[in-house]
Every structure is written in structure tokens, then in C-alpha cells.
Amino acid sequence: MLHPVPTLKETPSQTAGPYVHIGLTPNFADIKGVYEADPGSTMLTPDTKGERITIAGRIFDGAGALVNDALVELWQADGDGSYVAPMGPNSNSAPAFTGWGRQPTNAEGVFTFETIKPGPVPGPDGKPMAPHVNLWIVARGINIGLQTRLYFEDEAEANAGDFVLNKIMDPRRRLTLIARKEPGEVPRYVLDIHLQGDKETVFFDM
Amino acid sequence: MSGIILPGADGALYQRNRDWHPPADTPGYKSTTFRAPKHALLSLGGTASELTGPTFGHSSINPLDNDLIRNYSQDGSEAIGQRMIVYGQVLDENARPVPDTLVEFWQANAGGRYRHKKEAYLAALDPNFGGCGRTITDENGFYSFRTIKPGAYPWPNGGNDWRPAHIHFSVFGHAFAQRLITQMYFEGDPMIWQCPIVGSIADKSAIDQLIARLDRHNTTPMDALAYRFDIVLRGRRSTMFENKLEGN
């Protein structure tokens, strides 16, 4: 036997529906007093090391309308390219950087994460992948969560050698994953997600 | 005992069986029309970015977080409705329990009304019911929470579509690529089989996996019925580090 044969089947997905904000960002949805803060609303602490950045974008549907009822989660490495080690079940101390964020799209269809720029993470061949964050998007009308990545415009050399970006045959579609940089005291990286259409974002089966 | 490196045993997740899940575009559920990507998904074997994921300490959870009957109480009163306990085990496809993982849930109140500003259904709000909760699985992968049975409600899709009573679930697992959102339905509800969102799943036995069973053994007498809902997340192939003498 090479490895165990799965004996169970994964629970099938169902849409997060129009009220996902109630469940996953209740304070944003005006349900106050149940949780002190919405999970994942803050990724940074004063002790977080690394370059502060903002990651933001809008989500568009196939009719060009802004999707203002979505939820976006982000998972990324720290500034050194390491993923946070799992916390023990009885851990009382939050790590200085969790690597995980969760944000709703607001009334204008915009999501915003205050985070740090991730370092390069080793790929399967040992060669570093270009700095990136993983995004997971759910909403009404999305039957199973959409998985994608966001890369950084100012990492052109690393992006050119990234094995994931290079799996995308059409170079124009590669651009759907590369956030443009708006310089500032805290640099802002902006990437719009398109669920359909000429600019449809590349989504992964990962 | 050092492990044996088996061919293909790289710790990757089993590939997701997309036929078991609803496809992106399901015309019966009209919201998918403009929100379903049209390109095929690009297959990407797991890297560290997909095989790791966030973890949550038990200390981040408050004692009332898994009690929807009381966690939004405004005046000390409890939520209105049929009281129940929902519990189950989170497992992976290898039938191994998934301990210490965050499980979140949200639902309508007993009248079928969500506490949301866009909700237009005429059923009344319950001032003492918020509709959200969370917990973390124990060392054997079990979770439980207390709530009231949500009502069915009509929704603007076809001319007269109704959602069966259901509870939304969000589960993490230990890898970001295990992330799952789904909905739980109730055993014996005839409305399950008339729902376009349920019908987005092709295989009847896959739908059956979303139906919680009434469990009389775990009811609280004179208080709450119990429903059991087990959740299966994607499983992982072995890694050399996980191989033990007794196997895994």
C-alpha cells in the first residue's frame, strides 16, 4: 500500500449565502456584543516585524456589478517567508503575526487588509516562490469557495520565475493575479477580482 | 522509529472531488449566473502556502460563544424557539479526527428571519437572538453548541422558492486548502428536496451527508433535542514524519 485510501468523502460545499457577514464578521454586520472583535479583523500587533502594507481590491461579477456581500480570507507567510507554527490547544498568547486575515467586502464592494509584505516561501522544488498571499472568497452565488493568489507588482523578477504564475499559459491571465503598487507611507497593493468576463481572475484547484 | 518514504507520500491533500461538490454554475440557483467563473480551475499541487493554515487557541473563545440561546440576550431572556443541541465530529477523509479546529455557525431565528439589514422577510426578529456562534473541536474532533431550530423562509429566486431549515457552517481544518463552508439540514424535512441550493449538488448521497440525524440518546430531557452532524474535511497523504510503527 502506498498510502491510506480515503475511506470517507469530503462534506460537500454549499454557498455561504447572502448573510455570511452575520456568521463570520458579526460586528461588521451590526451584531454587537457576541464577539469582542470579528475574527481575523486585525493581523498586526505592535510586535509584528516586517514592512507594513495595505492589500485592497474590489470584486466584480460578470455583469460588472460590485460584489458587496462577499467575504475574503487571506493566508500568508511572515516577512521571513515562514508560516506561523500552529498554536497549541491551550495557548494563551497570540503570536505577534497570525498570517491570517478575514475581511468583508463593504457597501462599495471593497476589501482591505492591513498586513506586512510576505517573504519568499520555498516551493516544492526547493526554489523560492515569489512573495504572495493566498486568498479565499465566498459569497452568495459562489457554490464552493474560490481559491486564488495575489502577487506583487514590484517583485517582477521573482514573479517571472514563479512556478505557479508560469503554470498560467496565457500571460495576460497571469496579470489577473498581480497587484499594482500605490506608493505611500504604507504602500498599498491593489488587485481587483473579476468572477467572470475578459479579466476573469485565475482561480485554482489546490 | 523513523518512517519509510513511500512513493507519492508527500503529505499533499487528496485531490478535491469536484463532482461531489456543486459545480460553480447551477442555473436553478440564479445567483450563480454572474458569479460562477467560466474558466476551468488551474490545478495546483499543494505547496507550503496551501498545506499550512491558521490555528486558534481555545482561550480565544468565550464560554457563551457556543450558546446561541443566550449569547445575544439583551435583557437576560433566552431566544425563542425549539431548543436543541447540535453536535458532531470533524474528521478527515482518512477518518482521523480533526482536533483543535475552529467551527463557526450562523442561522435564521425560529421564524426564519436573519438579523441582517438586507433581510426583507416579514417574520419578526427575536430581540434575544443574534444568530451566530463558534467553538473549537476537542482532542477527538468533537464540537457542540446549543441553539434553537431555525425556521424555513421564502427567498427571491424562482417565483416561490423556500429554503429548508438549515444552519451554515464554516470549518478550517489544519491546511488553508481544507477550508470549507457548507449548510446542515434536518432529518425528515421534505423541503430539502425542493431547494435549488441543495439541488446544486448532483449526487443524492452527497446531499445525504448534509442532513443531521435526530439523536434521542443525547437529548437533554425536558430541555433540548439533539442533532448529530459530522463534517469531513479533505484528507492528507502520509508523510514520512507521520509514519509510525502501528501505521496511521
Side-chain angles (χ1 to χ4, degrees):
Chain A
M1 190 175 75
L2 298 183
H3 51 78
V5 175
T7 53
L8 300 177
K9 286 188 157 136
E10 188 187 10
T11 298
S13 173
Q14 290 269 263
T15 179
Y19 305 128
V20 61
H21 295 165
I22 287 181
L24 303 187
T25 55
N27 287 289
F28 174 81
D30 250 355
I31 296 176
K32 311 276 190 186
V34 182
Y35 307 150
E36 199 172 304
D38 288 335
S41 56
T42 310
M43 297 178 69
L44 300 176
T45 67
D47 298 330
T48 308
K49 290 178 189 157
E51 182 196 358
R52 262 61 175 171
I53 62 167
T54 300
I55 289 176
R58 297 170 294 177
I59 304 181
F60 292 93
D61 73 10
L66 287 159
V67 177
N68 60 15
D69 55 7
L71 183 96
V72 182
E73 288 187 9
L74 179 155
W75 173 240
Q76 68 165 88
D78 65 16
D80 299 326
S82 296
Y83 285 96
V84 172
M87 283 202 292
N90 299 312
S91 168
N92 283 314
S93 57
F97 182 63
T98 62
W100 176 72
R102 170 189 281 171
Q103 293 291 339
T105 53
N106 63 17
E108 286 74 47
V110 179
F111 61 85
T112 308
F113 294 91
E114 304 296 340
T115 184
I116 53 168
K117 185 117 178 257
V121 174
D125 53 1
K127 204 178 145 200
M129 296 186 280
H132 65 276
V133 304
N134 280 37
L135 297 176
W136 180 77
I137 300 161
V138 293
R140 168 179 68 87
I142 295 176
N143 280 332
I144 182 165
L146 299 172
Q147 295 158 312
T148 188
R149 285 184 173 195
L150 177 150
Y151 288 82
F152 299 89
E153 177 186 51
D154 54 353
E155 300 283 349
E157 195 181 327
N159 290 343
D162 183 84
F163 94 100
V164 173
L165 286 173
N166 285 320
K167 277 186 174 231
I168 304 167
M169 298 314 285
D170 181 346
R172 288 166 305 178
R173 295 209 72 216
R174 264 176 234 159
L175 297 176
T176 67
L177 304 189
I178 298 176
R180 69 175 187 275
K181 183 177 186 178
E182 296 176 355
E185 194 182 332
V186 175
R188 187 178 174 87
Y189 292 91
V190 180
L191 181 70
D192 287 338
I193 306 283
H194 294 266
L195 301 178
Q196 292 179 358
D198 293 344
K199 298 179 193 164
E200 183 179 309
T201 300
V202 173
F203 298 106
F204 294 99
D205 188 11
M206 44 180 55
Chain B
M1 169 71 189
S2 62
I4 304 158
I5 302 174
L6 300 166
D10 54 5
L13 296 169
Y14 297 120
Q15 189 175 5
R16 194 164 236 165
N17 178 1
R18 298 259 167 191
D19 293 337
W20 192 248
H21 292 278
D25 198 353
T26 48
Y29 173 29
K30 293 183 179 174
S31 292
T32 62
T33 304
F34 289 113
R35 293 185 169 195
K38 298 296 186 191
H39 285 272
L41 299 174
L42 185 61
S43 189
L44 173 62
T47 73
S49 303
E50 292 76 40
L51 297 177
T52 55
T55 52
F56 303 87
H58 288 258
S59 61
S60 61
I61 302 292
N62 293 315
L64 278 183
D65 284 0
N66 69 341
D67 186 358
L68 279 71
I69 292 180
R70 289 180 57 210
N71 72 5
Y72 191 74
S73 178
Q74 303 299 300
D75 60 5
S77 305
E78 300 195 332
I80 293 167
Q82 180 193 306
R83 300 157 71 87
M84 58 180 203
I85 295 157
V86 178
Y87 83 100
Q89 194 177 21
V90 182
L91 301 156
D92 71 12
E93 289 170 287
N94 297 319
R96 290 187 284 207
V98 181
D100 306 318
T101 195
L102 182 66
V103 181
E104 298 163 287
F105 17 86
W106 68 101
Q107 62 169 88
N109 71 17
R113 170 79 182 258
Y114 283 93
R115 182 171 290 282
H116 192 282
K117 56 181 182 288
K118 283 191 196 159
E119 161 75 283
Y121 183 34
L122 48 78
L125 281 170
D126 175 349
N128 296 307
F129 186 74
C132 63
R134 61 182 173 180
T135 188
I136 293 181
T137 57
D138 69 14
E139 67 273 21
N140 296 312
F142 278 94
Y143 72 89
S144 72
F145 60 98
R146 202 167 75 130
T147 187
I148 51 87
K149 188 170 183 188
Y153 58 86
W155 59 299
N157 183 63
N160 184 24
D161 285 325
W162 288 67
R163 294 302 326 278
H166 65 276
I167 300 177
H168 296 264
F169 276 74
S170 157
V171 196
F172 278 81
H174 296 154
F176 201 54
Q178 287 178 302
R179 198 75 182 78
L180 181 73
I181 277 186
T182 190
Q183 301 182 31
M184 180 203 104
Y185 304 96
F186 292 88
E187 180 177 12
D189 184 351
M191 294 179 61
I192 293 170
W193 310 104
Q194 302 171 22
C195 173
I197 288 178
V198 175
S200 67
I201 299 172
D203 193 316
K204 193 171 176 295
S205 48
I207 294 171
D208 200 52
Q209 236 180 313
L210 299 180
I211 301 176
R213 308 294 168 203
L214 177 65
D215 176 6
R216 287 294 300 268
H217 297 294
N218 280 296
T219 57
T220 308
M222 307 304 287
D223 182 348
L225 284 175
Y227 282 88
R228 177 164 182 155
F229 180 54
D230 292 341
I231 298 167
V232 180
L233 302 178
R234 296 172 71 185
R236 240 179 228 235
R237 305 198 295 198
S238 297
T239 68
M240 62 177 293
F241 305 110
E242 287 176 329
N243 281 312
K244 302 182 188 87
L245 255 181
E246 66 271 27
N248 58 356

